[in-house]
Amino acid sequence: TSLSYNFFKPCGDDSNFGGFGISKDNASTHNFCNTQSQQIRLRCDAASDCTDLKVCYNDYERLIQNVSIAAQDCNTQNLTYFDTQYNAGANASVLAPIVDQCYLRHFNKLSACCQTAVQSSILSLSEYTCATIESFFNVTADSSQSDDVKSVCESKPRCAFDNSAFTCTQVATGSTFDDCAALIAEQCTPSSLSLTTVMLRRGAQSSFVNCINTSVATHDGSDACQSTFNTEVATYGACLYPVSSYWNFTTTAYDYAICSDAEIAAITSQPCGSTNSANDSQLTCLLTNVDGLPDGCCKRAVQQIASNTYAYSRECEADVDAYCAPSLSAFLIDPSAGSMLIAALTEFYFLNPFNTSQKIYPGTICMTQMLTALQLGTLSPKCTLAITHCEAIDVWPVTTGGSLASVACGQGNVGNQTRECWSNSSIAMWSPTIDVSQCVPLTCAAVTEYDQSWPETAVDTVRTIQGGLINNLTNNAHIATQISTALIAQFGANLTCDPLQSHNIYYARRQCTLNPYNTSQAIWSDPVLECRPLIYAWNNVQNETVCDFLTEEVTAGLAAQLDAALAFVNPALIGILQSTKKANLIDAIVWSIYDESFNDGVTTTPAQHIALSQSYCEQALTKCAAFSYDDTFGISYFFDYCPLLTQAEMSAGNLPEIENSVAAVSGVLTSLAQGIHPSLDGTIFYPWSFYDDPIYAALAPLVSNPKLSSFAARHTTYIAPLSMVEYVPTHCSIRSIQSVVASGDATQFIAPQHAWNADGIPHAQCFNNTLWLYFIDPAGGVLNRDKVIFTDESKVSDLLGFDGVQIKSSTNTIMVRGVNNDVVAVEFILDLRKRIDEQWAQQDELYVVPGGLIINLFSQYIGVSSYLITNLLLVSIAIVLCGLMFLLNPIAVLVCLVCNSAMIVEVYGFAHWIGLRLNGVLVLNIVIAVAFTMEFTAHVGRAFVLSDADKESTLDAGQQRMIRTLREMFTPVSLGAVTTFLGVVPIAFAQFPYFRQYYFSLYVIIVVFGWLNGVLFQTAILSFLQPKPLHPQTGEESTLVKVNSKSQLDSEKAQLAPTANVDADVEMEQQSAKFKSIGLKQNA
């Protein structure tokens, strides 16, 4: 099957659309996504912003395929022609007429981005006036177009749609400059007419008036231009073009030369002179008596001088033109106060066209000029105030720079909020931060009414209480947490709620709201009692009822009408009637719009509307209490607070909020009624039948005069069931009632509020219910089911398995932060063990076996220091015992022990320096290191003990013994160290870094320090301490050594002598042999 797709996305290049290998603007057959042959038509050069009509390509294609849309409105030929013109660079005036018929007549079917493009590229054109928009539609013949013409009309600035006449007309501002803006911009600008600022200020605007008068009849840019011009020209002909300021920067005074002598002389209450004397005292008089001036340009000028908005962009326009324009004219910039302020705040710059390496900051240049003029005092008075003050915004009044403004907190709060008006190096500006720390929300005081306890509640908050069966059993012993019998009798006499049989419970809502007649006071509304369905059960359906959002709309409309009338009769009574809020409307869905905009034009049925509304209320909206469905027009209204309004009440009843109001009782409403007809009184405003049904009128315009009295008749209200989170504690509470009934012990009752505490710890009786709630949550326990072993796995996925989820065992993960060294890890593990043993196991009966990387890796560090010290002590004892046995000298043993201790300290220190941790391997290797060191120290120490010194030698005895020891043991011990090193060299090439660190590196350190301590340091220490030789030289051996020494010396001398006696040599040789034999015995 060949399927046609339209893609709107950025293209890679002309020959490879998005990497799919499809050329743009060609219909190509390509195997894409599956084996089906799909024909894909691509448009890859569309604009990406919502101000370009190209973004409407997909919308146009979709409208072409819509069989309900006429071909003359939207067709492929127009779309192709639009592409041709667009690619040729045509402007909006050329492009708009090609597609306007399609986009305007079907405006509501366009995407939001396309609607924005239509507004900016079509409706913004001057030729599309309000009357022109109306001409695109024929609402009389096709009422279905009313929505589109209304939307298009309201999208055009200053256009208003008349719902009854279906006309789109321009809302005239009464100002020629505004209503004729398009004409002025195109044909009658002051620059094109050579009008200077002085000429405009002094009323020399005849050429401007003549230009408009000549062109207005033929210009089609405005519907109201002609009438407004004709109205204004007689009175304001000399000042139709507005003047930004009447301040004269040359004379540094206000220029009111536009005021004629006759206009000034017209003031009689306090004469300001008979002629225009152009002085400050006369201007002050005119400002004081401006109301005495006749309507005209003089009065308009004086009023403008007197007014001050404190807005920099308005009051400093002339000052910017005077001080900034000369500095920026070289760069072809025509500055305005607003644009220069934004440029200064954003540090906007452009490159100097005469020196591209230089950045020009126009806003900074202009602001510097303005602040310099401020310091010199040459700015206009109004601009000076605008720079040094923050203008009024919303509730914040005009405030001097550097000071703090304080206003009352918003509705629903008491106290004042403050905001600082910054005064820095530039102009005064409001701080973006508002301090509301002193604002305290209003609350309704805790009360007990209808034997029901209502706790203190914040304004605009709905307090809910559910249940009530327990109070029937315990004589209202739980009115703080359950609905009292008195409240049920008062507001639910016709209700029968039964959680076991009807699957619903008593549910009361009461809203804390503002007193409409005293907004600084919070009051309780009447309770609303209903049978609320349990989970998944939409079984509370109220026919011919609607949640009462109409009372607020009706009272608000009547109050506005009454205030408008009182403004002319008795302004002091304004506000005597206020709107009264009932239901809280939180959302609404018009299903016909949903079908067109979100359902690809597929019409949904009423049954689908209801099912979708139920799903939307349950899953998408928070605290959705109910929705009312309009069976006639397919509209769903969603509420989080729903006092019901029945058809019986609307068809024959009155609005008590109007009937019992002060306005009705005092007769003020009767005055309003008599303004409609003298024979009427205030009672005409009481019944619902007096008020029009605006929804019916808008959606069924051909029906005459529909009234609100039948509004509820076409609505059905569906009370939302409890959510999962609400139902779980309710279910546990209902089970506890069964226990109370069975045992008669009221203390076994568990209120839903007590199913779990503030920390989220569930009540013991509600534990399994809470487990079900957790493990049924798609964002919660569902993600952890693989870590839990359940008694019955089927209950975990059962939406009704509230009591069936029980855990045999589970694996849970805790996140640990800050474990960055061994000490912290050990402290954590010890603390965890203490909690497991002393708190969780004993107090909570929770048996936990900890595990994980931190536990497995760092548990070896627990007690490792004590193990090291203990083993080193045992090794030291072994060294002492073995040393005494083999060295036979306590001093030598002590030195050996010192060398071993030094080696341990050195190895430990260097191990830390190269990044080794004190773990089991390091402890083992340090103990082994002692053995290595004994290899170096024991042999050398024993050799030293066995050596003796020559008493006749000039060398010290210790040095002689050290030399003899090293001569005998240095080479073999050193070779032993070398062979040990060679034995561990292969570990240096191990792939596992742990082996290289804890074996090769550590053993190299051990060998090096063991050899140094044993061979060098030990012999040096022994040479100083000189332990007693094991075999000291005495008697004959001593004499022989002496003779031997002397004979050796004589022999050496004889060898050096040139003449030697042979007999003497033989004798000496015999003596040497004898001495050598004696020496060998001694060495042995």
Side-chain angles (χ1 to χ4, degrees), residues 312-329:
Y312 178 86
S313 59
R314 179 170 181 175
E315 305 300 348
C316 295
E317 193 67 56
D319 298 76
V320 168
D321 186 61
Y323 292 105
C324 299
S327 302
L328 300 174
S329 59

Side-chain angles (χ1 to χ4, degrees), residues 647-945:
Q647 176 57 31
E649 294 172 326
M650 298 193 75
S651 60
N654 296 335
L655 279 82
E657 291 75 17
I658 296 177
E659 183 178 6
N660 301 327
S661 67
V662 176
V665 175
S666 63
V668 175
L669 283 182
T670 297
S671 301
L672 180 63
Q674 290 177 352
I676 301 173
H677 193 279
S679 63
L680 299 177
D681 59 23
T683 58
I684 66 167
F685 300 111
Y686 299 170
W688 289 99
S689 58
F690 174 79
Y691 302 97
D692 295 332
D693 185 340
I695 297 176
Y696 208 114
L699 300 180
L702 300 181
V703 176
S704 62
N705 202 23
K707 298 296 182 179
L708 282 179
S709 54
S710 61
F711 188 87
R714 66 174 190 267
H715 285 80
T716 304
T717 300
Y718 297 81
I719 305 300
L722 296 175
S723 66
M724 286 186 182
V725 177
E726 292 176 305
Y727 177 71
V728 168
T730 300
H731 178 79
C732 183
S733 179
I734 293 172
R735 285 195 312 151
S736 71
I737 295 178
Q738 296 173 343
S739 299
V740 172
V741 173
S743 64
D745 183 4
T747 61
Q748 294 187 17
F749 173 71
I750 304 171
Q753 298 93 317
H754 301 151
W756 49 70
N757 61 22
D759 296 326
I761 306 300
H763 191 283
Q765 301 300 321
C766 307
F767 183 72
N768 287 342
N769 308 135
T770 310
L771 285 181
W772 172 84
L773 176 64
Y774 174 68
F775 285 109
I776 208 73
D777 183 3
V782 167
L783 305 177
N784 300 312
R785 286 183 186 174
D786 58 332
K787 300 179 181 179
V788 182
I789 300 176
F790 300 96
T791 302
D792 185 352
E793 292 283 347
S794 64
K795 296 296 183 180
V796 181
S797 301
D798 185 1
L799 294 180
L800 298 177
F802 311 110
D803 300 318
V805 176
Q806 295 183 5
I807 291 180
K808 285 185 177 179
S809 65
S810 64
T811 301
N812 288 288
T813 302
I814 57 175
M815 304 301 295
V816 181
R817 295 182 297 178
V819 180
N820 49 16
N821 56 60
D822 307 340
V823 176
V824 176
V826 169
E827 291 178 352
F828 163 73
I829 295 174
L830 293 177
D831 178 71
L832 181 62
R833 289 180 177 178
K834 183 177 180 181
R835 292 174 184 270
I836 292 174
D837 295 338
E838 298 180 6
Q839 179 179 345
W840 296 346
Q842 297 180 12
Q843 299 180 16
D844 303 326
E845 297 184 1
L846 179 63
Y847 302 99
V848 179
V849 178
L853 178 61
I854 292 180
I855 303 295
N856 299 337
L857 178 61
F858 291 101
S859 292
Q860 61 178 312
Y861 298 110
I862 299 176
V864 68
S865 298
S866 61
Y867 295 152
L868 175 61
I869 295 172
T870 301
N871 283 281
L872 289 178
L873 289 175
L874 294 176
V875 169
S876 299
I877 294 172
I879 291 174
V880 172
L881 295 177
C882 293
L884 292 174
M885 292 173 59
F886 294 101
L887 297 182
L888 302 175
N889 189 298
I891 296 178
V893 173
L894 178 61
V895 173
C896 181
L897 185 62
V898 169
C899 290
N900 276 276
S901 301
M903 184 280 306
I904 293 172
V905 174
E906 292 160 351
V907 170
Y908 185 86
F910 271 81
H912 178 75
W913 182 63
I914 65 174
L916 302 184
R917 300 174 182 270
L918 182 61
N919 54 22
V921 175
L922 185 60
V923 170
L924 174 64
N925 286 331
I926 287 179
V927 174
I928 294 176
V930 176
F932 275 107
T933 306
M934 285 298 297
E935 176 187 354
F936 303 129
T937 57
H939 297 300
V940 174
R942 180 171 177 81
F944 195 96
V945 172

Side-chain angles (χ1 to χ4, degrees), residues 323-645:
Y323 292 105
C324 299
S327 302
L328 300 174
S329 59
F331 305 106
L332 303 179
I333 294 178
D334 184 17
S336 68
S339 64
M340 289 299 100
L341 177 60
I342 294 174
L345 295 176
T346 59
E347 297 184 351
F348 168 79
Y349 71 88
F350 60 89
L351 296 179
N352 188 340
F354 308 106
N355 181 8
T356 55
S357 62
Q358 180 186 13
K359 296 179 181 179
I360 303 298
Y361 293 85
T364 304
I365 294 173
C366 181
M367 190 58 64
T368 302
Q369 298 285 353
M370 294 292 288
L371 294 177
T372 301
L374 176 65
Q375 294 176 353
L376 296 176
T378 56
L379 289 179
S380 66
K382 294 167 71 173
C383 181
T384 299
L385 292 174
I387 289 180
T388 57
H389 290 73
C390 291
E391 64 180 298
I393 298 179
D394 296 329
V395 298
W396 302 99
V398 173
T399 304
T400 305
S403 60
L404 205 64
S406 178
V407 298
C409 297
Q411 273 196 349
N413 296 274
V414 293
N416 288 339
Q417 54 185 332
T418 58
R419 190 178 187 183
E420 185 179 1
C421 176
W422 287 341
S423 180
N424 48 28
S425 57
S426 59
I427 68 173
M429 298 181 63
W430 284 112
S431 165
T433 304
I434 300 175
D435 183 4
V436 295
S437 59
Q438 302 302 317
C439 295
V440 179
L442 286 172
T443 59
C444 292
V447 295
T448 300
E449 296 177 346
Y450 316 107
D451 288 339
Q452 188 70 59
S453 296
W454 302 95
E456 183 181 14
T457 303
V459 71
D460 290 332
T461 301
V462 177
R463 177 66 64 177
T464 61
I465 301 178
Q466 68 180 55
L469 295 180
I470 189 65
N471 283 327
N472 286 328
L473 300 174
T474 61
N475 193 22
N476 289 328
H478 298 275
I479 61 173
T481 58
Q482 295 280 285
I483 298 174
S484 67
T485 56
L487 187 66
I488 295 175
Q490 179 71 24
F491 295 96
N494 59 339
L495 299 178
T496 303
C497 305
D498 187 343
L500 299 179
Q501 300 298 327
S502 304
H503 300 287
N504 52 35
I505 59 171
Y506 287 110
Y507 202 91
R509 308 176 196 262
R510 195 175 191 187
Q511 186 176 32
C512 175
T513 184
L514 285 177
N515 185 341
Y517 295 96
N518 181 7
T519 55
S520 63
Q521 179 187 19
I523 58 174
W524 286 105
S525 62
D526 287 336
V528 175
L529 190 64
E530 62 197 13
C531 288
R532 190 170 183 191
L534 300 181
I535 189 170
Y536 305 125
W538 286 84
N539 55 24
N540 190 344
V541 180
Q542 305 288 331
N543 296 316
E544 294 191 344
T545 61
V546 65
C547 296
D548 186 8
F549 68 102
L550 297 173
T551 296
E552 181 180 9
E553 300 295 328
V554 170
T555 53
L558 182 60
Q561 185 180 358
L562 180 60
D563 289 345
L566 292 174
F568 297 97
V569 180
N570 191 349
L573 294 178
I574 290 178
I576 193 172
L577 179 65
Q578 295 289 336
S579 64
T580 302
K581 186 175 183 178
K582 289 295 189 72
N584 291 339
L585 178 65
I586 55 177
D587 203 354
I589 297 178
V590 180
W591 291 104
S592 59
I593 297 178
Y594 168 84
D595 293 340
E596 292 182 5
S597 302
F598 304 101
N599 204 34
D600 296 328
V602 178
T603 302
T604 49
T605 64
Q608 291 174 321
H609 298 166
I610 295 172
L612 290 172
S613 297
Q614 291 174 350
S615 177
Y616 184 61
C617 181
E618 281 186 306
Q619 301 176 16
L621 298 177
T622 58
K623 299 181 179 180
C624 180
F627 71 90
S628 296
Y629 178 69
D630 188 327
D631 305 304
T632 301
F633 297 111
I635 304 175
S636 295
Y637 304 93
F638 299 88
F639 304 86
D640 65 1
Y641 183 61
C642 178
L644 289 175
L645 192 59

